[in-house]
Amino acid sequence: MIDVRRLRTLRAVADHRTVTAAAAALYLTPSAVSQQLAALEQETGHDLLARDGRGVRLTAAGEILLGHADAVLAQLERAEADLAAYSEGVAGEVTVAAFATGIALVLAPAISALAKSVPGVRIKVLDAEGDASLPMLLDGLADLAVAVEYRGAPRADDQRLTRVPLYAEPFEAVLPLGHPLAAGHGPVAVADLAAEPWIGPYPGNPCHDVVLLACEYAGFQPRLVHSSDDFRAVVALASAGAGVALVPRSALRGVDLSLVAVRPVDSALATRKVFAAVRSGAEQHPLIRPVLDALTAAAQGLSAD
């Protein structure tokens, strides 16, 4: 392991060309500088300096190491600057793992707001399915997660996490235009779709769990004939008469719905609950707190859409 302090000494000697001048610049004795250089040569296994008249010069190995020393020392300077800004809570990067619709609905608006209110906070976005963001958070791969409730998720009282509710949105029935219930009014009873072929997300997707739960409560297991995690594909299959589906309301935004009927359903269980989560203790972190606040602000009113 190369001692960074000895790299600073090497840099000083390269700059001043004599041990005495380098020692003065570093506020050390010439003996201390010589000892550090000898230790650095022992650490690297190379002669780093050669006599040059009354001074010294770097050997080829010394020049190579000096290039790396400069990069290391520059990075340390940046680290010190970032830490200084961090101590004031005004600069740094926050990594957020979120599912695609959550990115569009709350994370992107939050990033836009933060750019104006706290420009030193930089957001790095990781697109992750709703059931993947919490494991990423707990593994330290993300600082914050935008997630949804799903079977097998950490419990709401899990001491490892702090949750902030964002919004809840209903699922809606997507039916082929020729379906007998397509032209009706009011909510569709989930039980009335029991005999239909279904289109839905793959197992493991939190939306899959919501569909199963709503159907189980209505007294049946859906016959999932077609599987896709892409809701545009789900709508396209429904428009082709391939089956029926339950889709989160926000996932239908921007999708061509001209060849399907979209109806509300009668099940309160057909709801996607979205929340932000951080590792417990991080909720007041000076970088994370503004992100949580911005996400909360972006989510206002979404549950009533």
Side-chain angles (χ1 to χ4, degrees), residues 171 209-211 213-218 266-272:
F171 280 56
D209 293 340
V210 173
V211 172
L213 188 62
C215 292
E216 288 171 3
Y217 191 79
D266 65 352
S267 174
L269 295 175
T271 302
R272 176 158 69 174

Side-chain angles (χ1 to χ4, degrees), residues 45-275:
H46 292 279
D47 293 331
L48 303 175
L49 298 169
R51 290 285 181 182
D52 186 12
R54 294 184 179 181
V56 293
R57 61 176 175 80
L58 270 63
T59 64
E63 293 287 355
I64 291 172
L65 182 59
L66 184 65
H68 290 288
D70 287 343
V72 170
L73 295 173
Q75 187 61 42
L76 286 174
E77 290 289 346
R78 286 191 286 271
E80 290 173 1
D82 286 348
L83 285 172
Y86 161 77
S87 66
E88 300 176 6
V90 297
E93 183 176 84
V94 178
T95 300
V96 182
F99 61 101
T101 308
I103 292 172
L105 281 185
V106 293
L107 184 52
I111 291 172
S112 180
L114 287 166
K116 299 174 183 176
S117 62
V118 196
V121 176
R122 305 182 304 278
I123 306 298
K124 177 181 179 181
V125 179
L126 303 177
D127 188 342
E129 290 294 341
D131 60 336
S133 57
L134 291 180
M136 292 172 70
L137 175 65
L138 291 171
D139 288 343
L141 301 176
D143 303 306
L144 189 152
V146 177
V148 300
E149 295 286 359
Y150 62 94
R151 290 180 180 179
R155 291 164 49 92
D157 59 356
D158 191 310
Q159 297 300 306
R160 297 173 297 169
L161 299 171
T162 295
R163 298 185 180 210
V164 177
L166 294 178
Y167 63 94
E169 63 173 324
F171 280 56
E172 297 192 324
V174 177
L175 311 172
L177 284 179
H179 192 280
L181 298 176
H185 299 283
V188 170
V190 175
D192 289 344
L193 302 174
E196 303 292 338
W198 280 72
I199 311 158
Y202 284 100
N205 186 313
C207 291
H208 178 90
D209 293 340
V210 173
V211 172
L212 285 187
L213 188 62
C215 292
E216 288 171 3
Y217 191 79
F220 70 97
Q221 288 281 340
R223 183 165 55 91
L224 284 165
V225 177
H226 309 286
S227 297
S228 175
D229 288 333
D230 184 334
F231 289 116
R232 292 180 182 274
V234 171
V235 171
L237 288 169
S239 70
V244 302
L246 295 183
V247 176
R249 178 178 292 173
S250 64
L252 296 174
R253 296 183 180 187
V255 178
D256 182 5
L257 303 175
S258 62
L259 299 178
V260 295
V262 178
R263 299 275 308 278
V265 294
D266 65 352
S267 174
L269 295 175
T271 302
R272 176 158 69 174
K273 298 178 180 178
V274 181
F275 60 91

